[in-house]
Amino acid sequence: LCQAIEECKQVILALPEHSERQKDAVVRLIHLRLKLQELKDPDEDEPNIRVVLEHRFYKEKSKSVKQMCDKCSTIIWGLIQTWYTCTGCYYRCHSKCLPLVSRACVRAKVSHQAEYQLSICPESGLDSQDYRCAECRAPVSLRGVPSEARQCDYTGLYYCSSCHWNDLAVVPARAIHNWDFEPRKVSRCSMRYLALMVSRPVLKLREINPLLFNYVEELVEIR
């Protein structure tokens, strides 16, 4: 790491000032220095349990580097970084990102209010969100400046790229009203909520859409 840092410094000095390549090299230098600092101070005194916004975070012992941080959307380097996982909704993040977590644990919502949004993509527009991410309140726009606004097909709200990774999930409202099980793009929060709700028998189909029984033979057999 020390050698890589020195080489990165030389590259920065050799590149044209204020160029995109020089800016990328500076970002790379910052990441290298952070990794070196974490090696020197591995945070062994970090508590095993942290509670944030109803999340119950446990410190992970796994050294896997295949996980992504749900807060900053970067790789968790398990060999040199301390990281935590929520036992309720499986939200994962670096130790340094814990104070920045803005998403409440969806397990609590499943426990207290186990119900689906039953309107198909109930969009109210970016202006109703004050052109900010529905979760972290970062500025977003449809033009991608300063950050791309991504719509969640479940909530109809817009999110930034850190809170919406274009994950795919079956949307209950589309299945109930149109018998449409094609996965749609949803936010991270919606994806976790739908995953936790999938086995809960909370849909009273005969009350919500009784006409569906006229078109789907399998439903008639089940009834």
Side-chain angles (χ1 to χ4, degrees):
L1 278 173
C2 290
Q3 183 181 347
I5 288 170
E6 291 305 315
E7 290 177 2
C8 198
K9 287 180 183 176
Q10 296 303 319
V11 169
I12 291 170
L13 293 173
L15 289 170
E17 282 197 36
H18 308 301
S19 66
E20 289 300 318
R21 290 181 61 196
Q22 190 187 55
K23 290 176 184 177
D24 291 341
V26 170
V27 172
R28 189 157 60 249
L29 176 62
I30 292 170
H31 283 302
L32 288 170
R33 283 178 168 168
L34 283 172
K35 290 176 191 175
L36 182 62
Q37 187 61 42
E38 286 170 348
L39 274 177
K40 291 178 179 177
D41 304 306
D43 295 330
E44 289 301 327
D45 57 342
E46 289 272 2
N48 288 324
I49 303 174
R50 300 278 291 274
V51 178
V52 181
L53 295 178
E54 296 191 75
H55 292 283
R56 191 171 178 81
F57 286 108
Y58 275 79
K59 185 163 70 172
E60 291 286 359
K61 294 182 171 59
S62 170
K63 301 302 181 182
S64 169
V65 296
K66 296 180 181 179
Q67 305 295 346
M68 297 288 289
C69 176
D70 275 296
K71 181 58 190 174
C72 67
S73 308
T74 60
I75 293 175
I76 296 173
W77 299 96
L79 288 171
I80 59 175
Q81 292 178 316
T82 305
W83 59 292
Y84 287 79
T85 300
C86 173
T87 56
C89 67
Y90 306 108
Y91 186 106
R92 299 182 182 91
C93 70
H94 299 100
S95 171
K96 62 185 179 183
C97 292
L98 275 179
L100 306 175
V101 172
S102 56
R103 182 194 311 162
C105 180
V106 294
R107 169 70 74 178
K109 184 179 178 183
V110 170
S111 301
H112 303 152
Q113 188 183 6
E115 60 183 20
Y116 286 118
Q117 163 63 255
L118 295 181
S119 298
I120 296 176
C121 196
E123 180 183 10
S124 55
L126 251 182
D127 55 338
S128 68
Q129 295 179 207
D130 197 23
Y131 294 91
R132 292 183 177 276
C133 171
E135 183 175 313
C136 70
R137 306 304 294 162
V140 293
S141 76
L142 294 175
R143 296 180 180 178
V145 180
S147 179
E148 176 191 7
R150 297 179 179 178
Q151 188 179 35
C152 171
D153 197 81
Y154 174 67
T155 64
L157 300 174
Y158 289 89
Y159 299 80
C160 67
S161 56
S162 295
C163 300
H164 191 320
W165 296 4
N166 288 328
D167 295 301
L168 297 174
V170 174
V171 178
R174 292 186 182 276
I176 291 167
H177 297 299
N178 300 333
W179 205 241
D180 177 2
F181 290 87
E182 181 183 347
R184 309 292 172 124
K185 292 179 180 179
V186 296
S187 68
R188 296 292 289 173
C189 182
S190 295
M191 184 197 69
R192 293 269 165 80
Y193 182 74
L194 292 173
L196 290 172
M197 285 285 289
V198 72
S199 62
R200 288 178 172 257
V202 298
L203 294 170
K204 298 179 180 180
L205 205 52
R206 280 196 239 185
E207 296 178 13
I208 300 168
N209 188 10
L211 292 177
L212 204 57
F213 290 93
N214 297 335
Y215 300 98
V216 184
E217 186 178 340
E218 291 86 350
L219 284 178
V220 177
E221 292 179 12
I222 291 171
R223 183 178 60 181

